[in-house]
């Protein structure tokens, strides 16, 4: 699974309320929810991103609420992956469950530039910068990679039980 996109850099402790403000948690349409992603940090963020863009952040990305809204909003906004020094455990699993790749990397935030185009290869286990420099990442276990390839846990289970 290869993901290529433009980088948006974020700092440490990006919580779920920053990803999607709480007042929008009443929305049930994920496409409507996604239009408000990061609106309290970057005005018009939704209209500035392109499908496949990648978030690169510091420590503790996704801390806060255990609800899936943050991961769903990012996925439906078109974010291709999130790379961070560390993730909230619940956000990490919510992201996998909705089919949004989340990649822990201690060094990526410090050497990747805002606006840079990077390529992530989940099967080979690396991030490649525009200058060709590679950052090694831990490979997903096969069952998590399968969930991502199928577009999330629900789609993965549907596929499994259709056999």
């Amino acid at each position: 699974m290869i993901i290529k996109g433009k980088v948006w850099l974020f700092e440490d402790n990006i919580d779920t309320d920053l990803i999607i403000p709480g007042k929008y948690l009443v929305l049930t349409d994920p496409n409507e929810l996604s239009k408000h992603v990061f609106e309290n940090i970057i005005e018009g963020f939704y209209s500035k991103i392109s499908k496949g863009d990648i978030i690169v952040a510091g420590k503790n990305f996704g801390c806060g609420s255990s609800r899936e809204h943050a991961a769903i909003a990012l996925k439906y906004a078109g974010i291709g992956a999130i790379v961070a020094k560390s993730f909230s455990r619940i956000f990490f699993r919510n992201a996998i469950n909705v089919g949004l790749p989340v990649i822990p990397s201690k060094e990526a935030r410090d050497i990747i530039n805002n606006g840079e185009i990077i390529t992530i290869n989940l099967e080979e286990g690396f991030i490649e910068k525009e200058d060709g420099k590679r950052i090694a990442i831990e490979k997903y276990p096969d069952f998590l990679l399968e969930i991502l390839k199928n577009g999330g846990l629900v789609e993965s289970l549907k596929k499994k039980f259709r056999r």
Side-chain angles (χ1 to χ4, degrees), residues 69-158:
H69 294 74
I72 290 169
L74 289 167
K75 179 181 177 181
Y76 279 83
I79 296 298
I82 304 167
V83 179
K85 288 186 177 183
S86 64
F87 292 91
S88 156
R89 289 180 61 170
I90 293 173
F91 178 85
F92 185 91
R93 190 56 205 213
N94 284 342
I96 297 292
N97 286 349
V98 300
L100 177 63
V102 281
I103 298 105
S105 171
K106 297 286 184 204
E107 62 181 317
R109 174 63 180 83
D110 298 329
I111 60 175
I112 293 176
N113 300 307
N114 197 45
E116 184 175 2
I117 305 296
I118 62 171
T119 303
I120 301 169
N121 187 321
L122 294 177
E123 280 132 344
E124 299 294 323
F126 66 83
I127 299 170
E128 187 170 272
K129 293 173 43 78
E130 284 180 312
D131 64 7
K133 182 177 181 178
R134 288 187 174 183
I135 303 165
I137 57 173
E138 192 170 322
K139 294 179 186 176
Y140 280 131
D142 289 343
F143 78 98
L144 288 182
L145 191 56
E146 191 68 24
I147 290 171
L148 290 173
K149 285 180 176 179
N150 289 326
L153 182 60
V154 171
E155 293 305 315
S156 192
L157 290 173
K158 285 180 181 175

Side-chain angles (χ1 to χ4, degrees), residues 14-82:
I14 299 298
D15 68 32
T16 53
D17 285 334
L18 291 174
I19 296 169
I20 186 73
K23 65 184 177 183
Y24 298 113
L25 298 181
V26 295
L27 297 174
T28 57
D29 180 347
N31 293 305
E32 288 301 314
L33 190 65
S34 69
K35 293 176 183 173
H36 304 284
V37 71
F38 288 125
E39 72 179 20
N40 287 339
I41 299 176
I42 301 172
E43 188 174 330
F45 181 78
Y46 177 77
S47 62
K48 294 177 181 177
I49 58 175
S50 299
K51 185 172 175 54
D53 281 0
I54 298 167
I55 291 172
V56 177
K59 297 181 285 188
N60 204 23
F61 189 92
C63 57
S65 170
S66 62
R67 291 181 293 257
E68 293 179 322
H69 294 74
I72 290 169
L74 289 167
K75 179 181 177 181
Y76 279 83
I79 296 298
I82 304 167

